[in-house]
Amino acid sequence: MSTSGTGTGTTAVEERLRAALAARAQSVGPADLRPLRPPTATGRPRAAVPRRTAVGLLALAAVAALVFLAVRGGPDRPAEPAHRPRPPATGTPTPVPSPVRPTTAQPSPSVPGP
């Protein structure tokens, strides 16, 4: 890597790392490698099966206890039915009676007389 991130030049640290990795790769020989053996089908160890069974049974018992406590601790009477929500205020004002006293009714000028 370079300091600018886009250039092709290498830094002193990169050169030292490359030299160290090359030296390590040259020091490994055939005597250091393990011999080839086909994989064996060992399966799961015997101790894992009972442990998994025990964990599963404990989880099942915990769920059963939670259900039992939830049912047992419930109210003695059924819950009240839900109430209908009130409609939201529409923002239109309600009519307010005027403080002026009503006068006697007079015929409209557009209505013909008797």
Side-chain angles (χ1 to χ4, degrees):
M1 290 186 154
S2 65
T3 56
S4 65
T6 58
T8 57
T10 59
T11 63
V13 174
E14 289 176 343
E15 290 176 14
R16 289 178 59 195
L17 282 173
R18 285 184 184 161
L21 288 174
R24 178 69 177 143
Q26 294 298 323
S27 69
V28 175
D32 297 325
L33 302 175
R34 66 175 181 225
L36 290 176
R37 272 185 262 159
T40 59
T42 57
R44 294 185 181 168
R46 290 286 235 186
V49 175
R51 186 178 307 138
R52 284 186 138 194
T53 304
V55 169
L57 288 175
L58 286 174
L60 185 63
V63 169
L66 286 174
V67 169
F68 175 73
L69 291 175
V71 170
R72 183 173 174 233
D76 293 336
R77 60 188 177 101
E80 296 290 326
H83 298 286
R84 286 183 112 180
R86 293 184 179 174
T90 58
T92 57
T94 57
V96 178
S98 65
V100 179
R101 293 184 170 214
T103 60
T104 58
Q106 297 181 359
S108 173
S110 63
V111 177

